[in-house]
Amino acid sequence: MSEGISQPDQPVTREARAKGDLFAKFDELIQMREGLLASGVEDPFNLVMEKVLSPTRAICNGRETILLGTYDYMGMTFDPDVIEAGKQALADFGSGTTGSRVLNGTYQGHKECEEALREFYGMDHAMVFSTGYQANLGIISTIAGKGDYVVLDIDSHASIWDGCAMGKAEIVPFKHNDVEAMEKRLKRIPEGAGILVVLEGVYSMLGDTAPLKEMIRIAKDHGAMVLVDEAHSMGFIGENGRGVAEDQGVLDQVDFVIGTFSKSVGTVGGFCVSNHPKFEIMRLVCRPYVFTASLPPSVVATAATSIRKLMHGSNKRAHLWENSRTLHKGLRDLGFDLGTEEPESAIIAVIMPDLEQGAAMWEALIENGLYVNLARPPATPANMTLLRCSLCAEHSSDEVEQILAIFEKAGKAVGII
Ligand SMILES: Cc1ncc(COP(=O)(O)O)c(C=O)c1O
């Protein structure tokens, strides 16, 4: 933590723990947050969007603000067909299903959404969950249980780690994106054990992509099944927007693709697609699918419409790549330290010297009308403080130039460049 952030007046006391204060474990975080706010910066984790004008603009603190941290990569949230489909389903099917998929919660719209996913990925099976978090939680915990092994990248998303913990398999992490480290771990696993290798197409903190081609080959050589979370690549990466596995020509070797509707699809929900012949049994044995209410009809209708439109999104994909390249080069030319050498996705991470300067920079950006995500440990790798920028296909080239001008002004004011 930066020395500039005021330190806690009262460190966690043994007495607090001794009294059985179940909140004592959060004291350090509470004090860090209070220290940060006491330094006078606006709370970066409490921003309110007073009105959302489009996928790239909102009113925040009474000011029109450019959005550069929404993960609405393909700008589908305001697509007229998507909105119309949601309105129609709301009128025809009501506001919610009030039930699990295995009881009263499967409507025609859920089946149509799964059909759209099967077509989008060209796979035999699709299962829709209420969130992407639940999709990872459910699939990983259900297929990898006690006595099995999950080999995963150390920088995996929290939902992947939580799925491993819930399933109680042996967890075998390896260094981020390190093919050799992954192979070494696989070699140590006893012969004949069940192995699931879990990878992500794009890692959302730094916006870097995985060497899936090599990793999947090695995983298969060791008899492992492979799950790839394509949350941050669906809709954008690959010729048909199927993700990094498509881009690297290995989609047919992936056993399970996990995805979310909360990014390129522009709504909420999660899914798994697979060609595994026994996949349908998951609907009966996967607890985060069975023991929760299904998505509202309006949500599955918007998701299905959006997914079908994403199948024909190549012009948008090309424009988003152009935005990503322009922003990456522009930020680098201004002297910012970035998470990747080259733009690898629609996420560009700007590395801050510490949390205090990161928060000051975040505030300077928002005051100048630009919203980005501030990410800090423990969510970030190597204890980094990051300003994560996620581009949208609806950002115009002009907007990208405005974004660069705001970064230049804020960076100079805070003294980072
Ligand atoms: C890699 C990854 N997987 C899964 C999720 C969970 O998605 P959802 O927002 O649908 O729960 C996220 C969300 O941030 C993610 O980044």
Side-chain angles (χ1 to χ4, degrees), residues 221-237:
D221 284 351
H222 287 80
M225 281 192 163
V226 176
L227 179 151
V228 181
D229 181 334
E230 296 272 16
H232 292 275
S233 41
M234 181 192 185
F236 172 42
I237 297 182

Side-chain angles (χ1 to χ4, degrees), residues 131-133 136 157 159 200 204 229 231-232 260-263 269-270:
T131 62
Y133 177 91
N136 271 328
H157 188 259
S159 54
E200 292 180 33
S204 68
D229 181 334
H232 292 275
T260 175
F261 297 160
S262 72
K263 308 198 190 300

Side-chain angles (χ1 to χ4, degrees), residues 55 70-79 82 117 120-121 202 230-238 240-243 259-269 271 302-311 313 316-317 320 345-347 390-394:
T70 64
Y71 306 102
D72 186 3
Y73 299 121
M74 297 294 280
M76 299 308 281
T77 47
F78 279 79
D79 181 280
V82 169
L117 282 166
F120 185 89
Y121 283 98
V202 171
E230 296 272 16
H232 292 275
S233 41
M234 181 192 185
F236 172 42
I237 297 182
N240 300 290
R242 293 172 183 162
T260 175
F261 297 160
S262 72
K263 308 198 190 300
S264 286
V265 178
T267 177
V268 67
F271 65 87
T302 55
T305 307
S306 180
I307 291 162
R308 289 195 183 283
K309 289 195 90 165
L310 289 175
M311 291 182 206
K316 277 189 153 194
R317 286 192 266 281
L320 184 47
S345 68
I347 300 171
S390 57
L391 285 149
C392 174
E394 294 292 323

Side-chain angles (χ1 to χ4, degrees), residues 346-365:
I347 300 171
I348 293 168
V350 186
I351 302 170
M352 293 288 109
D354 56 35
L355 178 59
E356 189 188 34
Q357 290 185 73
M361 182 72 188
W362 182 88
E363 189 171 43
L365 292 174

Side-chain angles (χ1 to χ4, degrees), residues 261-284:
F261 297 160
S262 72
K263 308 198 190 300
S264 286
V265 178
T267 177
V268 67
F271 65 87
C272 179
V273 291
S274 175
N275 282 329
H276 197 286
K278 298 182 191 167
F279 187 74
E280 290 299 319
I281 196 63
M282 296 302 282
R283 294 190 198 271
L284 296 183

Side-chain angles (χ1 to χ4, degrees), residues 206-229:
L206 297 177
D208 54 337
T209 53
L212 290 184
K213 192 171 183 165
E214 285 162 276
M215 287 183 153
I216 292 175
R217 181 182 54 74
I218 292 166
K220 293 282 161 182
D221 284 351
H222 287 80
M225 281 192 163
V226 176
L227 179 151
V228 181
D229 181 334

Side-chain angles (χ1 to χ4, degrees), residues 157-175:
H157 188 259
S159 54
I160 293 173
W161 285 100
D162 292 356
C164 294
M166 186 169 156
K168 299 193 179 69
E170 290 290 328
I171 303 173
V172 187
F174 62 88
K175 189 172 160 224

